[in-house]
Amino acid sequence: MQKSFVYRIVEFSQRHTFSIVFLTVIISIYLGYFTLQIKIDPDVWDILPEQAEPIRLIEEYGENLTPDYLVVAVESEELFSLDKLKALEEAVNRIEMLPQVNGSINPFNLLTFEKKGKRIRLVPMSPGRKAPATVEELESFKKKLLADPLARNLVISKDSTALCSIIHTDYLDADTELISSVEDVLLDLKPYFQTYLAGSTPIVQTTKRYLVKDLPRLLVMAILVILSVFFIGFRSKRSVLLPLVVVALGTIWTTGAMSLLGFRITIVSIMVPPLVLTLGSSYSIHILNQYYREAKIGANNRKWIAASVSHINKTILLAALTTIIGFGSLLSASLRQIREFGIATSLGIIFCTVLSLFFFPAVLSKLRTPTTHEKDRYLKGNIARLMDRISRVVTKWRFFILAVLIAIVVTFVLSLKYIRYQTDYMSYFKKKEKVVHDNLFVVKNFGGFITINITLTAPEGEDKYFLDPQVLRKISHFEDKLIEDSNIAYISSFISYLKLMNLTMTGNFDIPETRPPILLLSRYLKSISSSPMGKPIVGTLLNGDFSRLTIGMRVYDGEKKTLIYEDKLRSLLNRVGKEIQMKLDPETSPVIWGNSLVSLYISDTITKDQTTSVIVSILLIFLVTAISFRSVKFGLFSLIPMLTGIMLNFILMTLLDIPFDVVTVMFASVAIGIGIDDSIHLIIQYRKQAQIFHGDNQRILAHTLIIAGRPILLTSVSLVAGLLVLAISSFMPIVYFGILVSLSLFTTTIGALIILPAMISLWPHIKARSPKVE
């Protein structure tokens, strides 16, 4: 009899066991070293491609913006007391002295205008940028702060119960030392205020802390799940320890390869190690099932091991290939982190497959042959009896099962329009987290720090174009219309400073009638923007020759007093766009940019990537299965359970209002790659049994389910339980991902054991009733 390729591989491994084990150890040590070198990237915005249009615009127009910041907010029913403000000033000064800090905007140093006789000058809100020292100074400070329209929603809340200091920092790479130092400072404010620490820096630092905490937790839980499943399924030491060694080595190889490729641990790739641990175990289950089924009790010759593995090789290789296709389809994604996730997990599947075909049989061949009791427990256990009952139910209720499948398809189509996409970084964390609570407080009381910028450029780059009172007055009318929008919390621009200066001079909050005040303010702002502390305040409002002007807006959900999400943000941008068309000179070439457009870009990209990766993976998997089975019919049949599971998940997401985000968007491609495995195993076994029991559909289905049902159930339980481990993650997208893929695999298993056999049993009836072509 001609030996298959897999038979030769296993036979080679059995003959050279020591060499295989030695080579495995050497590779594991080498890649294990690089596993220890892998770095963590907690930056939630680092998923964007560098060539993304929103990033290009920020780099072109926002070169003076400070990307990292802290927001220190304090709340009290009575803010304006000498001791409280003195404590706040000392706290801000201590924070500004930290080496990572570049200055701050706070209630004491916020610039405002002061009139002395006929002269007007730009001064800090409090003399010397210090807290008031006397009752008279306190009353003057309070009066100026409450009367200044540019202070409202910037350093003081609209209801005057909270003060805010915006701390500008260097790029910190999640520097925990700064956060700890600031938290120590804020402890001294506890007797005076309720304190809040928000901004991009705490979010990045919290992300890093949870990445470091989550990875070992997820790995340990995944290992415990694998041990439990194998022990319950096989009740022998070899069946528990060997598969664990295989997937552990596969995980070490994968993480080491990630490090060599320059990949980092992110909120997306943190799922790779537990996924490889879980998914890699399925190949060991298939081998063990066939190993016990074909065990030659008492045989000294171990060639039967090679034969048993070769009998299941088509299932293993097809399952591995389709899983790789599912993850590999993510290479079509525009977001780098998703592509890296697809590459890393695909490598993990390849490593586990190689170890299962070489290392696993090599070690098995050196162990004793299974006993008669162990083999009988496998062949005549409860699972075998359950599968026999299922085959009878499937045959009897096949038309009802078809009706249920049709109902699922109809419900899925109806639910599609309710699917929503979300890129809000705050949704990555559980609501009880302090970073969420503090950031939402800042949003509610100050309007948050999500920005939209509008940059205008002078026609033909004309110098001093934006110092013309007539031009500025037209832009002022545009800003007046914008500030009426309830979702715009704050506007910062050369116009707003100019109107504040005119208010101080004449009592009118409007553009000055003459040019001299405009020239005066332009000199002030040019001087301020050249200082490190001034750049974050006015650095982007005007360029050096006054040929470019930028209007900065902070936006939020004005109705709910919370972060603004995609739908309302798009609606706001549409309104702003219409106002631009109506009120601004088109020759100024208005450009909208800012970090809010980054969120929308991610959302649009997620939508496109999901559609592309799902279509690519389904088409490739259909081609692979149809070619492998040499049958379009069975290629289509193999898709039924997997598509059923995915459709049910979409329905569930609609019912539970679970959004697609940068992590959950991958679930469909992943579920396609993994969920097809059960169908492949069942169809391969069905075709084998059909050759034995010609025309006896009931016996074919019964024997198919009895033989294939056990490994399908065990692999599915292993995968579902392993993926549910992700539900203990600190990041909500990963929690949802684990639940969604687990549910999809659970329903796919039901589909493979019930819906697929029902559809196969219905095929002769459908074929018989179809009209014949003469």
Side-chain angles (χ1 to χ4, degrees):
M1 188 178 85
Q2 188 177 5
K3 298 176 180 179
S4 69
F5 174 70
V6 172
Y7 185 98
R8 294 177 186 276
I9 287 177
V10 178
E11 192 177 44
F12 174 86
S13 300
Q14 289 179 291
R15 287 201 310 266
H16 302 87
T17 301
F18 176 78
S19 300
I20 293 293
V21 172
F22 179 75
L23 182 61
T24 302
V25 171
I26 293 299
I27 294 173
S28 300
I29 292 173
Y30 176 74
L31 291 176
Y33 169 78
F34 287 100
T35 294
L36 298 175
Q37 310 303 314
I38 196 164
K39 297 180 180 179
I40 292 176
D41 180 5
D43 189 351
V44 294
W45 292 110
D46 195 36
I47 61 175
L48 279 173
E50 294 180 0
Q51 69 272 20
E53 182 66 7
I55 298 298
R56 187 192 67 77
L57 291 175
I58 288 174
E59 291 174 348
E60 180 177 351
Y61 296 114
E63 66 276 0
N64 291 323
L65 290 178
T66 303
D68 293 272
Y69 63 91
L70 286 165
V71 178
V72 173
V74 296
E75 182 184 30
S76 174
E77 291 184 2
E78 178 50 59
L79 289 173
F80 296 97
S81 70
L82 293 175
D83 56 340
K84 288 182 179 180
L85 293 177
K86 183 62 178 176
L88 178 61
E89 179 218 333
E90 291 175 351
V92 171
N93 287 341
R94 286 171 60 190
I95 292 172
E96 286 185 333
M97 291 175 65
L98 295 173
Q100 305 94 330
V101 173
N102 294 324
S104 72
I105 303 171
N106 60 67
F108 311 114
N109 71 1
L110 180 68
L111 297 174
T112 189
F113 292 96
E114 182 179 78
K115 186 178 181 182
K116 288 286 186 180
K118 293 185 178 181
R119 297 185 62 187
I120 190 85
R121 59 178 184 164
L122 202 56
V123 296
M125 191 66 67
S126 184
R129 296 183 171 85
K130 296 182 178 180
T134 65
V135 174
E136 292 76 14
E137 288 181 359
L138 177 65
E139 288 302 315
S140 174
F141 171 73
K142 179 179 179 180
K143 182 179 179 181
K144 286 198 295 183
L145 191 63
L146 295 178
D148 192 326
L150 299 189
R152 188 72 62 189
N153 278 357
L154 181 64
V155 295
I156 186 168
S157 62
K158 190 171 288 188
D159 61 3
S160 304
T161 61
L163 295 173
C164 178
S165 298
I166 305 166
I167 314 296
H168 296 280
T169 66
D170 294 322
Y171 177 70
L172 300 176
D173 195 19
D175 191 329
T176 55
E177 183 180 341
L178 173 64
I179 302 298
S180 298
S181 299
V182 173
E183 288 175 340
D184 289 342
V185 171
L186 296 186
L187 286 176
D188 294 337
L189 292 179
K190 290 294 184 182
Y192 307 99
F193 303 102
Q194 177 69 39
T195 61
Y196 304 88
L197 183 59
S200 64
T201 303
I203 290 170
V204 172
Q205 191 273 333
T206 302
T207 302
K208 181 175 182 179
R209 186 170 72 245
Y210 284 138
L211 286 175
V212 172
K213 182 181 78 171
D214 271 7
L215 186 56
R217 279 201 314 162
L218 294 175
L219 286 174
V220 169
M221 288 299 297
I223 289 170
L224 291 176
V225 165
I226 290 168
L227 287 173
S228 302
V229 170
F230 279 91
F231 177 76
I232 293 170
F234 297 100
R235 305 287 181 90
S236 68
K237 292 179 182 178
R238 78 184 72 187
S239 303
V240 172
L241 297 179
L242 267 182
L244 179 61
V245 171
V246 168
V247 294
L249 291 176
T251 304
I252 291 171
W253 290 15
T254 303
T255 313
M258 289 173 63
S259 181
L260 282 170
L261 291 170
F263 298 172
R264 298 188 175 198
I265 296 295
T266 66
I267 62 168
V268 178
S269 63
I270 192 176
M271 297 187 294
V272 171
L275 272 176
V276 172
L277 267 175
T278 304
L279 300 180
S281 66
S282 65
Y283 310 124
S284 299
I285 289 177
H286 284 302
I287 290 175
L288 283 173
N289 270 281
Q290 205 67 22
Y291 170 79
Y292 281 109
R293 176 171 289 280
E294 299 188 19
K296 305 296 183 184
I297 308 301
N300 293 322
N301 190 327
R302 300 302 175 89
K303 289 185 178 181
W304 63 268
I305 295 178
S308 68
V309 175
S310 66
H311 292 159
I312 198 68
N313 77 87
K314 188 172 184 179
T315 298
I316 293 175
L317 294 177
L318 263 182
L321 180 57
T322 52
T323 302
I324 291 168
I325 288 172
F327 286 106
S329 69
L330 297 175
L331 290 174
S332 63
S334 304
L335 304 181
R336 177 183 56 80
Q337 288 190 8
I338 293 179
R339 292 197 303 272
E340 290 181 358
F341 171 81
I343 293 170
T345 315
S346 297
L347 284 175
I349 299 304
I350 293 171
F351 292 149
C352 288
T353 304
V354 170
L355 286 165
S356 296
L357 293 176
F358 282 89
F359 176 79
F360 195 29
V363 178
L364 271 180
S365 67
K366 297 302 178 184
L367 303 177
R368 66 168 177 81
T369 305
T371 64
T372 303
H373 175 69
E374 289 171 335
K375 183 171 181 176
D376 288 346
R377 184 171 57 204
Y378 169 81
L379 293 174
K380 302 174 183 178
N382 293 328
I383 294 178
R385 289 191 289 271
L386 173 63
M387 292 300 107
D388 183 58
R389 292 194 188 100
I390 289 176
S391 69
R392 299 178 190 279
V393 170
V394 165
T395 306
K396 182 178 179 180
W397 295 94
R398 54 195 171 195
F399 289 102
F400 175 76
I401 294 170
L402 176 61
V404 171
L405 179 60
I406 293 171
I408 291 172
V409 173
V410 172
T411 308
F412 163 72
V413 172
L414 294 175
S415 68
L416 281 178
K417 64 179 179 180
Y418 299 104
I419 291 292
R420 66 185 181 90
Y421 296 84
Q422 179 173 287
T423 56
D424 166 33
Y425 55 84
M426 295 308 300
S427 67
Y428 293 175
F429 305 98
K430 296 177 181 178
K431 292 183 178 179
K432 64 181 180 181
E433 296 297 340
K434 187 177 186 300
V435 69
V436 175
H437 175 261
D438 288 7
N439 273 276
L440 290 180
F441 173 85
V442 170
V443 173
K444 179 180 178 180
N445 289 274
F446 297 93
F449 292 89
I450 295 176
T451 59
I452 296 175
N453 301 293
I454 304 170
T455 293
L456 311 178
T457 304
E460 299 180 359
E462 180 184 335
D463 289 357
K464 299 181 181 178
Y465 178 82
F466 290 109
L467 298 182
D468 185 332
Q470 192 172 0
V471 172
L472 296 176
R473 197 166 289 113
K474 190 171 185 178
I475 300 172
S476 175
H477 294 324
F478 170 69
E479 286 190 14
D480 291 342
K481 188 65 178 177
L482 290 181
I483 203 64
E484 293 175 5
D485 196 300
S486 61
N487 291 330
I488 296 178
Y490 190 83
I491 291 182
S492 173
S493 69
F494 179 67
I495 307 292
S496 56
Y497 278 100
L498 190 58
K499 290 163 74 173
L500 177 62
M501 185 177 74
N502 198 45
L503 177 67
T504 306
M505 292 172 56
T506 67
N508 296 320
F509 191 64
D510 204 350
I511 300 297
E513 294 292 335
T514 60
R515 194 178 181 92
I518 300 173
L519 296 175
L520 176 64
L521 179 62
S522 69
R523 289 194 294 270
Y524 276 140
L525 295 186
K526 195 170 185 178
S527 174
I528 294 168
S529 66
S530 63
S531 68
M533 289 183 60
K535 280 185 179 181
I537 307 173
V538 299
T540 58
L541 301 185
L542 283 168
N543 66 349
D545 60 6
F546 307 103
S547 64
R548 178 183 286 174
L549 178 145
T550 296
I551 302 166
M553 301 176 286
R554 297 210 322 269
V555 299
Y556 74 134
D557 187 331
E559 180 184 353
K560 297 180 179 179
K561 307 299 180 188
T562 187
L563 292 164
I564 189 167
Y565 296 129
E566 275 82 357
D567 291 344
K568 287 193 175 182
L569 182 56
R570 291 183 195 279
S571 178
L572 173 60
L573 287 170
N574 287 335
R575 294 196 297 274
V576 170
K578 290 178 181 178
E579 292 299 327
I580 287 175
Q581 291 179 348
M582 292 171 59
K583 293 186 167 56
L584 293 182
D585 187 344
E587 291 189 356
T588 57
S589 306
V591 176
I592 302 177
W593 59 278
N595 58 23
S596 58
L597 272 70
V598 173
S599 299
L600 292 183
Y601 178 88
I602 295 175
S603 180
D604 292 339
T605 303
I606 285 173
T607 306
K608 181 191 71 175
D609 285 353
Q610 183 204 39
T611 304
T612 303
S613 63
V614 167
I615 291 173
V616 168
S617 56
I618 289 177
L619 287 176
L620 288 177
I621 287 173
F622 167 70
L623 287 174
V624 167
T625 52
I627 293 171
S628 177
F629 296 139
R630 297 181 182 179
S631 167
V632 173
K633 177 185 73 175
F634 282 110
L636 292 172
F637 275 154
S638 68
L639 300 177
I640 291 175
M642 172 264 295
L643 293 176
T644 302
I646 291 174
M647 287 189 291
L648 284 171
N649 263 33
F650 272 84
I651 295 168
L652 179 72
M653 292 181 73
T654 301
L655 292 175
L656 299 182
D657 196 31
I658 297 175
F660 277 115
D661 54 39
V662 71
V663 177
T664 56
V665 71
M666 299 184 295
F667 105 84
S669 294
V670 173
I672 288 169
I674 305 171
I676 199 73
D677 295 1
D678 292 343
S679 301
I680 289 171
H681 195 177
L682 189 126
I683 289 174
I684 288 174
Q685 197 55 238
Y686 175 85
R687 299 183 79 183
K688 288 180 180 179
Q689 298 306 312
Q691 292 175 354
I692 299 171
F693 305 103
H694 297 285
D696 190 341
N697 203 43
Q698 176 58 49
R699 292 185 70 185
I700 293 172
L701 285 178
H703 280 76
T704 297
L705 288 171
I706 289 170
I707 295 172
R710 182 183 181 88
I712 286 176
L713 275 181
L714 285 178
T715 53
S716 297
V717 169
S718 174
L719 293 175
V720 169
L723 288 166
L724 279 176
V725 165
L726 298 176
I728 68 171
S729 173
S730 303
F731 298 102
M732 291 310 298
I734 295 178
V735 172
Y736 287 145
F737 178 86
I739 293 172
L740 289 172
V741 178
S742 297
L743 179 65
S744 179
L745 293 180
F746 173 77
T747 52
T748 297
T749 303
I750 300 300
L753 295 177
I754 296 177
I755 296 177
L756 179 56
M759 295 302 102
I760 291 175
S761 68
L762 278 171
W763 180 253
H765 297 271
I766 297 171
K767 189 175 180 181
R769 294 183 182 184
S770 61
K772 294 182 179 180
V773 180
E774 297 294 336

